[in-house]
Amino acid sequence: DAGVTQSPTHLIKTRGQQVTLRCSPKSGHDTVSWYQQALGQGPQFIFQYYEEEERQRGNFPDRFSGHQFPNYSSELNVNALLLGDSALYLCASSFAGAYNEQFFGPGTRLTVL
Amino acid sequence: AQSVTQPDIHITVSEGASLELRCNYSYGATPYLFWYVQSPGQGLQLLLKYFSGDTLVQGIKGFEAEFKRSQSSFNLRKPSVHWSDAAEYFCAVATPPGGTSYGKLTFGQGTILTVHP
C-alpha cells in the first residue's frame, strides 16, 4: 500500500520565479492538504482540497494556489517566489469524514535564491 | 483561534531514562489532539491521537499521552527512551467535525529530542 508521495524531492529556484509541487495521496484517500514548514518551525496549514475544490485555507497570500485532479492527486503552485518561501512543503492526505486524520508525505525542500 | 505551545525547544535525556514532552493548547471546547514525530529530512509520522473517551492514549513505539482538560495539556511520555527515539516531536490541535476549521491542523514549534548513550 503506497503512502503519500511527493515530487520533486528538492528544488532550487530564484526570486520571482514560479514553482509547482506535486502530491499523490495514500491509496483510498480523497482529500489533500498542504503545509509549509520553515526551518526550525512547525508546519503551517496552507490549504486543503476535496472534490477538486479548496475547502479550507490558511493565512497564506494568493501567490499560493492549488489544484486537485479527478484521481485525487494535487499540485501546489507558488508564484513570484520570495526568499521567505524557502521551506519544506508537506502534503498530507485523508478521506472525507476524517479530514483531521492526516498522513504525511516526505516533503519537497524548496530553496529560493 | 486554536494554538499550540511546546515550551521546550530542546530536551536531552540518557538512553533508558523516562521522557515527558510538554504540550499546551488553546481551544474553546475539546479539540482533537495529535503527536507527530519527524526524523531529519523526513515527513511527519503520527505517534498517537486523542479524540474523546479515555484521557490516556497509547501510541506506537511505546509512547503514551494524557489529555488534561483542566490544564489544557496533552503531554507525551515514554518510560524508557531508546537512541532511535532521537528526532523532533510536534504536538498538533484540530477542530472536531462540524467546526469552522475542521480539517486544519495547527502545530506547535516542536521539541528536539537528543538521546545520550
Side-chain angles (χ1 to χ4, degrees), chain A residues 20-40:
Chain A
T20 298
L21 310 181
R22 296 176 176 82
C23 171
S24 291
K26 181 178 168 67
S27 177
H29 286 181
D30 55 13
T31 302
V32 173
S33 305
W34 287 93
Y35 292 80
Q36 180 194 66
Q37 185 178 17
L39 201 60

Side-chain angles (χ1 to χ4, degrees), chain B residues 4 9 12 26 30 34 41-42 50 52 56-58 67 70 72 74 76 80 83 96 101 103-104:
Chain B
V4 175
I9 296 174
T12 300
S26 174
T30 301
F34 307 83
Q42 302 296 311
Y50 173 77
S52 64
L56 184 64
V57 293
Q58 302 297 321
F67 170 61
S70 61
S72 297
F74 188 58
L76 181 71
S80 178
W83 64 266
S101 297
K104 170 188 173 183

Side-chain angles (χ1 to χ4, degrees), chain A residues 38-107:
Chain A
L39 201 60
Q41 303 293 319
Q44 287 196 291
F45 178 80
I46 303 174
F47 42 54
Q48 184 179 76
Y49 276 83
Y50 170 64
E51 290 189 332
E52 303 178 48
E53 296 286 333
E54 183 184 286
R55 66 171 296 278
Q56 284 279 350
R57 187 178 181 93
N59 189 24
F60 278 80
D62 292 344
R63 299 187 297 110
F64 289 78
S65 63
H67 187 77
Q68 186 180 33
F69 299 93
N71 68 352
Y72 310 124
S73 67
S74 176
E75 289 181 349
L76 164 66
N77 300 291
V78 187
N79 294 323
L81 284 167
L82 304 174
L83 295 179
D85 295 330
S86 295
L88 181 67
Y89 288 85
L90 295 165
C91 171
S93 73
S94 54
F95 61 91
Y99 291 127
N100 283 340
E101 297 185 61
Q102 298 178 13
F103 292 80
F104 285 80

